Every structure is written in structure tokens, then in C-alpha cells.
Amino acid sequence: MSLVLPLVRTAHPAPALAVTVLTLLLAASMGVSTYTAVVLFAAVLSGQLVVGWTNDLCDRERDRRVGRSDKPLATGQISVGVVRSAIGAAGVVCVLASLLCGLGAGLLHLTSGVGAALAYNFALKSTVLSWLPYSLAFGSLPAVVSLSREPAALPPLWMVAVGALLGFAAHLLNAMPDLADDAVTGVRGLPHRLPPSLVPSVAALTLVAASVVSVFGRRTPPTAGQWILLAAVLVLAVAATRTTGKGPFYAAIAIAGVNVVMLLIG
């Protein structure tokens, strides 16, 4: 039991659970069967565990250099061997569960979802293309869910576009708390090449674009509820670009929440 908490913390549990819950909500909105929803849950959660564990495994030396006491691998609370074993076990579950969702859905999840995230961890994190794995992973998620249905079908293009924009913004917001530490250790992804004060505004504007696509990208005219949500997004976007301190970050997070609601009611 002494290894359980450090192992959970190393897996980046908050984003892992967020992506898994989003997948289940998408599955419910698309009418996926209970069995398929359970398999999707296993596939996505295990994939997120692999991604989180490999991320901290790749960053352990950088985390030591900046004194990250919240990173069990950096502090020695858990060994590299234990994390590698966990990655192997979760990887097996991820492959099997993904393929049980259907060949198309499974291969898409393993490549554009987990594969793209691993490419970020091992190669793209410190490049100008650091945003690409996030956009691929989030953009492909509606397609993974849709292709797992019976009969399998591709989702509408607007839904894929909204997912990709959400992924881009998620990358910016996820990088924000670590910009200073990353600068010390030489990480130079896209967010690090922007002025720090500009990052939340770019994230907010990206999320506004996602909202516009969500409302106007459908074949049906916008409903009153969608107009209200879009108005809320615009108000929050003004807050993100005009406030200081933590205000822009929280406003961008709120816009992301509204975007998720828009995606689910599609």
C-alpha cells in the first residue's frame, strides 16, 4: 500500500480522470451501449495512466533539478522499476481494451490518442509542435467513441474540430503553472515561446473559436441555449484578456467547461 499513493500521484490523476469522464459523457451522449462504455472506460483510463507515468519518467531528472517535491519519482518515493512495470501492465490493458472497442476505434485510440501523447512525452514537448499531440488526441476522441458504436460511424466534422481546438487550449493551460520550471530545464514548447502574459489570452481565444464552431458548425440553426452559452463564452473571453493575476487562467478554464457542455449537447 505504501506504493499506491505515489504511483497514483505519478499518473497525473486529475487530467487522467478528466479525459476518462469526458469519454464516458461523450459515450452517453452518442447512445453507446453499456458494455462498450465499460470497455471505453478501461481503454481510455489505462491509456491515460501510461501517458502520465511515462511523462514523469521522462521528466524525472528535470523535476529533480527544480526541486519538485510533488513528484514521487523525483523525490525517490517510488522507483523507476515500479513505474516501468505499471506502464507495461497498463499498456497491455490499453491495447486489449482499445481493440475490443472495434478495430477502427481501437487503432485510432492507440495511434492518435495514446501514440500522440507518447510522442509528446518523448520527443515533441520541447519543440514548436508541442501542441500537435494534444490537438490530435482531443480531436480524435469523438471519433473513437463514435466508431465504437454499432454501427460504427464517423462523428460530424465540427465535433472533431472542437475537440482539436480544446486540445490546443488544454496544452497552453496545462503548461502555464510550469513555465518557470520549464525555462530552467530548457523545455521550449510552443507555450514557452510566447510571452507568459499572452498564454491565457491565446488559450481563451482558441476556446472562443471552439465555441463558434460548436454553435455554427452544425446543420441546424443555433438554439436559444446555444446563444446563451456563446454569450457566456464571450463575456469570459473579455475577462481573460482584460484581467490580471490568476483571472485570465480561471476565465479560460471556465470557457473550456462551457465548451465541453457545447460538445456534449451536440
Side-chain angles (χ1 to χ4, degrees):
M1 288 298 295
S2 62
L3 294 178
V4 173
L5 284 179
L7 195 58
V8 170
R9 288 168 56 200
T10 304
H12 298 216
L17 285 175
V19 173
T20 304
V21 169
L22 176 59
T23 303
L24 292 178
L25 292 173
L26 279 172
S29 70
M30 292 184 185
V32 170
S33 69
T34 302
Y35 167 79
T36 303
V38 170
V39 176
L40 277 168
F41 170 83
V44 173
L45 180 59
S46 58
Q48 288 299 302
L49 293 176
V50 168
V51 171
W53 284 326
T54 54
N55 183 276
D56 272 21
L57 199 59
C58 291
D59 288 350
R60 68 188 185 280
E61 293 302 328
R62 284 194 288 262
D63 291 337
R64 284 196 188 107
R65 286 173 57 189
V66 295
R68 291 291 298 269
S69 59
D70 60 326
K71 297 291 186 178
L73 269 171
T75 60
Q77 291 177 274
I78 196 168
S79 69
V80 169
V82 169
V83 174
R84 284 176 175 165
S85 297
I87 291 170
V92 171
V93 173
C94 181
V95 171
L96 293 176
S98 296
L99 294 178
L100 284 174
C101 294
L103 186 60
L107 291 178
L108 185 62
H109 178 243
L110 292 172
T111 53
S112 294
V114 179
L118 292 178
Y120 172 84
N121 289 343
F122 287 102
L124 297 179
K125 182 175 183 176
S126 294
T127 74
V128 73
L129 294 177
S130 60
W131 59 273
L132 184 58
Y134 276 79
S135 289
L136 282 174
F138 277 78
S140 66
L141 189 57
V144 170
V145 175
S146 187
L147 287 171
S148 69
R149 295 184 300 179
E150 288 292 343
L154 289 172
L157 287 177
W158 71 263
M159 193 174 282
V160 175
V162 169
L165 290 168
L166 282 173
F168 183 87
H171 173 44
L172 298 179
L173 295 173
N174 184 61
M176 277 186 62
D178 300 325
L179 288 176
D181 286 347
D182 288 342
V184 171
T185 56
V187 174
R188 291 282 294 164
L190 178 63
H192 311 86
R193 298 165 192 256
L194 299 173
S197 61
L198 194 61
V199 173
S201 296
V202 173
L205 292 175
T206 302
L207 292 167
V208 169
S211 303
V212 171
V213 172
S214 181
V215 171
F216 297 105
R218 312 169 193 234
R219 295 181 178 179
T220 56
T223 65
Q226 288 168 340
W227 280 114
I228 292 171
L229 290 174
L230 184 57
V233 164
L234 295 176
V235 170
L236 289 167
V238 171
T241 55
R242 297 293 178 87
T243 56
T244 57
K246 291 284 188 180
F249 176 76
Y250 292 131
I253 291 292
I255 296 173
V258 176
N259 271 272
V260 169
V261 173
M262 288 179 164
L263 187 64
L264 294 173
I265 64 176

